[in-house]
């Protein structure tokens, strides 16, 4: 196969005069056995190079593999007398790349990806913060099949929030095995994921480092040996109890628990003219297997894998999830540690020994200054400070406030001067944006309306719109040793170019490419200025205006507070009156253009409701509002409502809960599986909130629930069943002022949704697939664009907003339908700010969006995420 590959590559040169030239290539290269080939065509015509041929004969697998570069070069373009030259050049490579990945402007905390240059080397990831998968996709730095181990310094979302997304991605890539090392409670955190995700591979072997002695080897392979140090005594954290409310009904004691269990779909939720197929299948299998419980989504726990893993010293972590394992001794330790309150260390330090480079990398995360005294006297640290043990780099995950304290700086100033100290937390002024593709899209949309499509927040300059963004987010450090040198060298380079310093160049390029576009955009702006009411124009006191307002309320329209004037000057997102802000409009797969589902509904009083919270929801709040304003919005939340258990709708809850500092508790309304997951994970992280099932909230006589609903200004609240996975819901709310908002959730067209959405002021409807992919929609229980438009037409909604698009359609979908409903339809983008007073803007906004993004039925290969 390798010889055939070489012959094919040789044929890409100008046709040789002698047919035997092809054979010459294969004959000479056949002498090198067990090699891997990579071809590259150089720019110079008449040449073909075969690069990266690496020998493996008689080489110690524990040492770096010699690399042989084989190149076939044509010395002339003349086909007559075509000569060739075979050149072998050997050199020994010892190198490791350390890539720092972070985007604080998008709420993504730092992580470090280590990649060995050796052919048999691997990749190692230190910390997996929430939102990492999407950021890696944006910059094409996703962990590959070489990823062997993950090391986490805590069980908080800043360190482990993205591990579920990482495992799903590795599962799709066919990954084999992954070692996962963390602190106390890490195994329980991974085990809790069984409530919403199952995977057969990779096989995950979990280890909690605090159960081992300091300096004991955690993980070892041919490339690295990992050790850990922590301060001498772990500190017990007081576990905050979260409150769980249930229905208070005389005959509902058993029903209350049943609602938290898997339920079959109610008949009224079924599609029109479609039989209860799942119910029939459940009955069939129960009859065939003698009373087997009903089919549940994703319940393949991989029994064969559990049985096969019992060889050696690995045992299943639990019988409930077949792809999570641990060592026998570690299982006993973890079982003992989870029987009481979760304990954790205040300082964790991983020491990764690079075998071929004969040096170490330190990764330090200190969460309490009180732990520094014990760490300062650690003999392992002293050996590194004195140079007795080699160390070339120290990565500080410690927060900025602790890094600046005198005691912390004193400890690490004692390291030799040639040791590179990398402080990853840059402090509150750092606002690096990582999602550059989404920034380009938002910039273009901002040309249409600065109110409806605000630009991301600019950190470090008070939000000054005249300043640019910090886009340099990747730092790459290469640790290499040349020849027999014992002292490795560290070389730093920026891994991405800051190509968007001047975003106005994007606008200029657009207008140069399409001269008519500038005039079209100005027409849209003129229409928006004409429609938008002017503050202080006397409309609020005009009798005829009051009569028109009453007529609108009778039709289910919304009331209007003072709306902003649209000008060319930058405006903030803060508005008077209720508004809807779309934080994420994508679906399950990560995309560089659209984030996971999240919709913020802010009332005129400032109180808020968050509908769905996919992974990265907190990051989207930080991106558009800045950290301070995002914390204020989170503290003003009364309710987080989750539609169903899928990861792109609920993985961001924990980060929202973590950043809430208000003394008053708030409600997380969710289905049973999400309820069970939060119940387990919150006990580890020490979070607090009120967990209520979707079918309880708003139906019981609980005073706290109705107080929360009242503070939102609502008089009606209803969660209704829809057709997706088990326990999937839609939401309908009605404000005291008369407007009504309905959210479909993920669903197929169903009667429950049509009944709830009839006459709604705003219907936010999922539109995952185009009509040509209706078979996908049927199989995955989603809606097509045409079906969403039809639902809006049938329900006679005032405004239909489409969201939750497949990543096949990163920008503008090609909508087709009756003009009546199309004129009331708006396509949502990340960052769309829609005041309810501006619903009349939908046709004008859509006109501008169509001009900016010509409709396409699918994206190109670069934009499509398989």
């Amino acid at each position: 196969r390798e010889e055939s590959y070489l012959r094919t590559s040789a044929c890409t040169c100008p046709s040789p005069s002698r047919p035997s030239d092809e054979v010459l290539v294969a004959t000479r290269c056949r002498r090198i056995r067990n090699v891997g080939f990579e071809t590259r065509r150089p720019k110079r015509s008449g040449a073909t190079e075969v690069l990266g041929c690496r020998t493996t004969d008689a080489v110690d697998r524990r040492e770096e593999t010699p690399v042989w570069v084989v190149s076939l070069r044509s010395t002339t373009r003349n086909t007559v007398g075509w000569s060739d030259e075979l050149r072998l050049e050997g050199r020994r490579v010892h190198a490791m790349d350390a890539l720092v990945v972070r985007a604080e402007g998008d709420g993504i905390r730092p992580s470090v990806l280590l990649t060995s240059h050796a052919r048999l080397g691997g990749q190692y990831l230190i910390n997996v913060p929430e939102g990492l998968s999407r950021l890696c996709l944006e910059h094409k730095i996703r962990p590959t099949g070489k990823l062997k181990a993950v090391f986490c310094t805590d069980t908080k979302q800043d360190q482990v929030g993205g591990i579920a997304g990482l495992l799903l991605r590795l599962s799709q890539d066919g990954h084999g095995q992954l070692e996962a090392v963390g602190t106390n409670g890490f195994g329980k955190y991974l085990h809790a994921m069984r409530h919403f995700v199952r995977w057969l591979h990779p096989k995950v072997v979990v280890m909690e480092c605090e159960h081992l002695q300091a300096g004991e080897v955690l993980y070892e392979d041919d490339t690295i040996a990992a050790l850990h140090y922590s301060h001498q005594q772990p500190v017990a954290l007081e576990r905050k109890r979260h409150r769980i409310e249930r229905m208070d009904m005389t005959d509902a004691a058993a029903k209350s628990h049943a609602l938290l269990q898997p339920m079959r779909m109610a008949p009224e939720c079924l599609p029109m003219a479609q039989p209860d197929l799942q119910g029939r299948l459940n009955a069939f299998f129960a009859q065939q297997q003698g009373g087997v419980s009903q089919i549940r989504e994703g319940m393949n726990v991989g029994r064969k894998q559990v049985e096969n893993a019992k060889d050696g010293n690995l045992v299943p972590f639990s019988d409930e999830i077949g792809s999570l394992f641990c060592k026998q001794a570690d299982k006993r330790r973890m079982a003992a540690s989870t029987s009481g309150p979760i304990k954790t260390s205040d300082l964790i330090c991983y020491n990764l020994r690079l075998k071929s480079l004969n040096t170490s990398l330190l990764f330090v995360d200190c969460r309490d200054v009180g732990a520094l005294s014990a760490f300062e006297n650690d003999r392992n640290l002293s050996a590194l400070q004195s140079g007795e043990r080699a160390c070339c780099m120290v990565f500080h995950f410690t927060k900025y406030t602790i890094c600046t304290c005198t005691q912390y700086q004193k400890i690490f100033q004692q390291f030799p001067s040639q040791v590179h100290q990398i402080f990853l937390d840059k402090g509150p002024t750092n606002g690096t944006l990582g999602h550059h593709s989404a920034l380009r899209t938002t910039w273009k949309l901002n040309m249409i309306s600065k109110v409806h499509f605000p630009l991301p927040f600019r950190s470090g300059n008070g939000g000054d719109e005249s300043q640019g963004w910090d886009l340099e987010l990747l730092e790459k450090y290469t640790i290499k040793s040349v020849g027999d040198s014992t002292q490795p060298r560290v070389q730093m380079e920026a891994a991405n170019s800051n190509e968007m310093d001047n975003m106005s160049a994007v606008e200029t390029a657009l207008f140069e490419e399409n001269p008519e576009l500038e005039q079209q955009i100005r027409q849209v702006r003129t229409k928006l200025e004409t429609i938008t009411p002017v503050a202080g124009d006397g409309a609020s006191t005009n009798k005829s205006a009051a009569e028109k307002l009453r007529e609108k309320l009778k039709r289910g329209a919304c009331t209007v507070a003072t709306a902003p004037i649209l000008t060319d000057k930058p405006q903030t997102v803060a508005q008077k009156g209720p508004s809807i802000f779309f934080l994420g409009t994508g679906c399950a797969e990560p995309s560089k253009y659209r984030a996971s589902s999240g919709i913020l509904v802010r009332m005129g009083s400032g109180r808020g409701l968050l509908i769905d919270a996919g992974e990265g929801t907190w990051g989207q709040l930080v991106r558009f509002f800045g950290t301070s304003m995002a914390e204020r919005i989170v503290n003003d939340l009364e309710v987080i409502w989750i539609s169903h258990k899928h990861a792109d709708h609920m993985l961001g809850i924990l980060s929202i809960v973590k950043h809430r500092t208000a003394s008053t508790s708030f409600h997380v309304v969710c289905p049973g599986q999400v309820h069970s997951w939060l119940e387990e994970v919150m006990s580890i992280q020490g979070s607090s909130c009120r967990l209520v099932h979707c079918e309880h909230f708003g139906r019981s006589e609980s005073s706290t629930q109705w107080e929360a609903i009242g503070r939102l200004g609502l008089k009606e609240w209803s969660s209704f069943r829809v057709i997706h996975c088990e326990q999937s819901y839609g939401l309908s709310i009605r404000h005291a002022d008369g407007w009504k908002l309905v959210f479909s959730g993920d669903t197929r067209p169903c009667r429950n949704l049509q009944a709830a959405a009839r006459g709604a002021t705003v219907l936010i409807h999922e539109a995952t697939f185009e009509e040509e992919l209706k078979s996908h929609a049927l199989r995955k229980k989603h809606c097509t664009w045409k079906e969403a438009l039809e639902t809006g037409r049938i329900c006679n909604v005032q405004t239909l907003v489409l969201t939750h698009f497949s990543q096949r359609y990163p920008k503008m979908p090609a909508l087709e339908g009756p003009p009546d409903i199309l004129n009331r339809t708006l396509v949502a983008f990340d960052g769309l700010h829609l005041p309810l007073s501006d619903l009349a803007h939908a046709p004008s906004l859509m006109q501008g969006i169509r001009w900016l993004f010509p409709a396409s039925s699918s994206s190109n290969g670069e934009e499509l995420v398989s």
Side-chain angles (χ1 to χ4, degrees):
R1 182 175 57 199
E2 293 164 352
E3 294 168 0
S4 171
Y5 185 56
L6 282 172
R7 284 196 295 270
T8 304
S9 300
C11 289
T12 61
C13 296
S15 301
S17 59
R18 304 189 310 272
S20 59
D21 284 336
E22 294 181 21
V23 181
L24 176 65
V25 178
T27 302
R28 293 190 178 182
C29 290
R30 190 184 296 122
R31 299 172 185 172
I32 304 175
R33 294 174 295 169
N34 299 330
V35 297
F37 295 100
E38 176 187 355
T39 64
R40 182 182 67 189
R41 289 200 65 186
K43 295 180 181 179
R44 183 166 53 86
S45 177
T48 298
E49 294 180 344
V50 184
L51 302 176
C53 302
R54 308 180 180 192
T55 71
T56 58
D57 292 349
V59 175
D60 186 356
R61 296 175 66 89
R62 290 184 175 272
E63 296 183 358
E64 205 70 44
T65 305
V67 178
W68 294 94
V69 179
V70 181
S71 66
L72 174 68
R73 182 174 58 191
S74 173
T75 58
T76 176
R77 296 182 61 180
N78 186 4
T79 58
V80 179
W82 191 70
S83 61
D84 47 39
E85 176 185 351
L86 190 65
R87 181 177 61 192
L88 295 178
E89 178 186 354
R91 69 179 186 271
R92 187 172 293 275
V93 177
H94 299 286
M96 174 79 76
D97 287 338
L99 184 65
V100 177
V101 185
R102 60 161 173 249
E104 286 87 347
D106 291 316
I108 302 174
R109 296 288 298 169
S111 65
V112 179
L113 178 64
L114 301 177
T115 303
S116 172
H117 285 200
R119 184 175 65 88
L120 299 178
Q123 281 187 322
Y124 312 91
L125 186 61
I126 294 83
N127 281 344
V128 194
E130 182 178 331
L132 180 66
S133 294
R134 184 182 175 216
L135 185 63
C136 290
L137 173 70
E138 165 86 15
H139 299 279
K140 300 179 181 179
I141 53 173
R142 289 192 311 161
T144 65
K146 297 174 64 176
L147 184 65
K148 293 185 177 181
V150 170
F151 301 88
C152 297
T153 60
D154 202 355
T155 53
K156 300 295 191 294
Q157 293 302 101
D158 287 345
Q159 291 79 24
V160 299
I163 198 165
L166 175 66
L167 290 177
L168 289 173
R169 171 57 54 190
L170 295 178
S171 178
Q172 293 182 8
D173 293 344
H175 206 78
Q177 179 170 324
L178 180 70
E179 301 277 345
V181 181
T183 58
N184 281 352
F186 187 47
K188 187 176 180 181
Y189 182 94
L190 294 176
H191 184 241
M193 288 164 43
R194 72 190 184 280
H195 293 294
F196 64 90
V197 63
R198 301 292 174 109
W199 71 95
L200 292 179
H201 51 80
K203 180 171 70 175
V204 179
V205 181
V206 62
M207 175 183 293
E208 295 179 357
C209 63
E210 291 170 297
H211 298 145
L212 304 179
Q213 297 294 326
E216 188 174 347
V217 175
L218 299 170
Y219 169 82
E220 185 174 9
D221 61 16
D222 296 340
T223 307
I224 70 167
L227 302 85
H228 93 288
Y229 314 118
S230 60
H231 76 98
Q232 55 185 6
Q233 292 294 335
V235 177
L237 295 178
E238 294 183 3
R239 183 170 54 178
K240 298 179 182 179
R241 298 300 300 176
H242 46 278
R243 293 178 287 276
I244 304 173
E245 296 189 359
R246 304 188 187 278
M247 295 176 64
D248 185 14
M249 300 172 59
T250 55
D251 60 343
K255 293 181 181 179
S256 177
H257 177 72
L259 282 173
L260 302 182
Q261 307 303 318
M263 294 189 295
R264 288 172 59 180
M265 193 173 296
E268 61 270 17
C269 294
L270 295 174
M272 285 73 74
Q274 182 171 336
D276 185 5
L277 181 59
Q278 182 165 344
R280 290 163 56 191
L281 287 173
N282 287 332
F284 172 77
F285 281 103
Q287 179 180 5
Q288 295 294 322
Q289 301 181 18
V292 177
S293 60
Q294 63 178 342
I295 302 172
R296 296 177 59 185
E297 177 180 333
M299 291 302 294
N300 188 348
V301 298
R303 292 185 178 87
K304 291 183 178 179
Q305 191 170 5
V306 172
E307 295 172 359
N308 295 337
K310 292 183 179 179
D311 55 341
N313 60 349
L314 291 183
V315 295
F317 187 89
S318 166
D319 294 335
E320 298 177 272
I321 182 167
S323 50
L324 186 63
F325 301 90
C326 63
K327 295 181 180 179
Q328 182 68 51
D330 294 334
K331 184 174 183 178
R332 291 193 296 268
R333 294 167 182 165
M334 284 186 278
S337 66
T338 55
S339 59
I342 299 297
K343 301 178 181 180
T344 184
S345 293
D346 293 325
L347 187 147
I348 289 292
C349 176
Y350 290 119
N351 181 355
L352 270 58
R353 183 76 180 171
L354 309 182
K355 295 182 177 180
S356 61
L357 292 166
N358 194 29
T359 189
S360 295
L361 303 178
L362 286 187
F363 301 89
V364 184
D365 190 355
C366 178
R367 295 177 288 277
D368 192 341
V369 179
L372 293 175
S373 299
F375 185 60
E376 188 174 11
N377 299 323
D378 191 286
R379 59 183 179 85
N380 299 292
L381 178 65
S382 301
L384 293 169
Q385 290 173 332
S386 64
E388 179 183 345
R389 296 180 184 175
C391 176
C392 65
M393 297 189 73
V394 180
F395 293 88
H396 299 269
F397 287 94
T398 305
K399 288 190 175 181
Y400 178 80
T401 53
I402 298 179
C403 287
T404 54
C405 76
T406 305
Q407 187 178 5
Y408 191 90
Q409 292 183 356
K410 179 182 176 181
I411 292 176
F412 290 97
Q413 283 175 355
Q414 297 178 19
F415 277 75
S417 58
Q418 63 268 24
V419 176
H420 295 256
Q421 307 266 354
I422 312 299
F423 292 89
L424 301 177
D425 192 338
K426 302 298 184 181
T429 60
N430 187 56
T432 306
L433 288 182
H435 301 305
H436 298 174
S437 298
L439 177 58
R440 292 188 187 93
T441 300
T442 305
W443 181 278
K444 295 176 183 178
L445 292 169
N446 183 260
M447 294 160 51
I448 302 174
S449 170
K450 299 182 183 300
V451 173
H452 299 93
F453 299 104
L455 293 174
F457 181 81
R458 289 165 169 81
S459 177
N461 48 40
D464 183 5
E465 295 283 336
S466 64
Q467 302 295 321
W469 294 273
D470 181 8
L471 303 175
E472 293 282 1
L473 74 155
L474 303 179
E475 299 173 4
K476 182 179 179 181
Y477 301 89
T478 301
I479 307 106
K480 62 173 61 176
S481 177
V482 180
D484 298 328
S485 175
T486 58
Q487 182 61 39
R489 296 180 300 181
V490 178
Q491 180 182 353
M492 185 267 185
E493 61 178 303
N496 66 306
S497 60
N498 196 351
E499 59 185 29
M500 299 170 61
D501 279 336
N502 184 12
M503 283 295 295
S504 60
V506 176
E507 184 174 344
T508 304
L510 275 175
F511 293 156
E512 290 179 353
E513 182 181 352
N514 185 0
E516 298 179 0
L517 181 61
E518 184 174 7
Q519 183 63 28
Q520 293 169 339
I521 294 298
R522 291 188 180 277
Q523 291 177 9
V524 173
R525 286 180 175 177
T526 302
K527 289 182 180 179
L528 294 176
E529 290 174 354
T530 303
I531 297 174
T532 306
V534 179
D537 62 355
S540 59
T541 59
N542 188 286
K543 184 175 180 179
S544 61
E547 292 294 333
K548 293 180 180 179
L549 182 60
R550 291 192 189 96
E551 292 296 325
K552 288 184 178 180
L553 289 176
K554 290 180 181 179
R555 298 195 302 268
C558 64
T559 59
V560 179
T562 302
I565 308 174
L566 183 65
T567 67
D568 289 336
K569 296 181 180 180
Q571 299 192 19
T572 61
V573 197
Q575 303 286 344
K576 295 180 180 179
S579 63
I580 307 171
F581 196 95
F582 289 83
L583 299 168
T585 57
C587 67
E589 291 285 350
S591 165
K592 58 184 182 180
Y593 293 101
R594 296 182 183 271
S596 297
S597 297
I599 302 170
L600 175 66
V601 182
R602 299 193 72 193
M603 306 302 175
S605 62
R607 310 307 294 177
L609 160 67
L610 183 60
I611 301 176
D612 277 344
E615 182 179 353
T617 297
W618 165 254
Q620 289 292 94
L621 285 171
V622 172
R623 178 183 180 88
F624 287 103
F625 296 93
T627 303
S628 299
M629 187 61 184
E631 291 176 348
R632 178 181 171 184
I633 291 173
V634 168
N635 284 328
D636 288 340
L637 287 178
E638 292 290 344
V639 180
I640 298 178
W641 183 88
I642 305 299
S643 60
H644 61 288
K645 68 174 184 176
H646 286 165
D648 59 315
H649 293 260
M650 41 74 75
L651 273 184
I653 303 174
L654 293 170
S655 289
I656 300 295
V657 174
K658 171 197 167 187
H659 288 93
R660 183 180 171 87
T661 58
S663 57
T664 58
S665 183
F666 72 117
H667 294 78
V668 175
V669 183
C670 55
Q673 305 95 329
V674 183
H675 181 289
S676 301
W677 171 65
L678 289 173
E679 196 172 15
E680 291 188 28
V681 176
M682 284 185 177
S683 67
I684 303 170
Q685 298 186 347
S687 305
S688 176
C689 69
R690 296 178 182 272
L691 297 176
V692 188
H693 195 279
C694 287
E695 298 201 16
H696 295 182
F697 193 79
R699 297 185 181 181
S700 69
E701 298 179 358
S702 170
S703 59
T704 57
Q705 294 182 18
W706 285 104
E707 286 173 1
I709 294 173
R711 285 192 292 269
L712 289 171
L714 302 176
K715 66 177 184 179
E716 292 181 11
W717 180 291
S718 175
S719 298
F720 51 91
R721 296 293 298 274
V722 294
I723 304 168
H724 192 51
C725 62
E726 57 183 5
Q727 296 195 54
S728 294
Y729 296 90
L731 176 65
S732 173
I733 57 175
R734 185 182 291 275
H735 196 270
D737 290 338
W739 57 265
K740 178 181 179 181
L741 184 148
V742 178
F743 175 61
S744 70
D746 287 6
T747 183
R748 292 287 302 147
C750 63
R751 296 190 183 95
N752 276 2
L753 175 59
Q754 292 185 5
R758 199 167 299 279
T761 307
V762 180
L763 170 60
I764 303 174
H765 200 297
E766 72 117 294
T768 309
F769 295 105
E770 57 186 316
E771 188 64 21
E772 287 74 9
L773 296 178
K774 188 172 182 178
S775 59
H776 288 60
L778 289 169
R779 185 174 70 253
K780 298 181 179 181
K781 297 182 181 178
H782 284 292
C783 282
T784 64
W785 310 335
K786 184 178 179 179
E787 291 170 334
L789 291 171
E790 181 65 13
T791 299
R793 186 192 65 80
I794 292 174
C795 298
N796 193 28
V797 299
Q798 181 177 339
T799 301
L800 173 66
V801 184
L802 301 182
T803 185
H804 197 271
F805 294 100
S806 167
Q807 310 309 355
R808 295 174 175 83
Y809 325 107
K811 296 177 183 177
M812 180 63 190
L815 299 180
E816 295 181 358
D820 177 52
I821 187 61
L822 283 178
N823 291 334
R824 292 178 281 154
T825 300
L826 183 61
V827 172
F829 287 82
D830 290 8
L832 168 62
H833 174 234
L834 186 62
L836 294 190
S837 59
D838 293 355
L839 295 182
H841 289 170
S844 298
L845 290 174
M846 279 300 297
Q847 184 180 11
I849 293 172
R850 289 191 184 98
W851 282 333
L852 277 175
F853 306 111
S856 60
S857 60
S858 63
S859 67
N860 58 35
E862 181 188 36
E863 296 165 342
L864 177 61
V865 183
S866 63

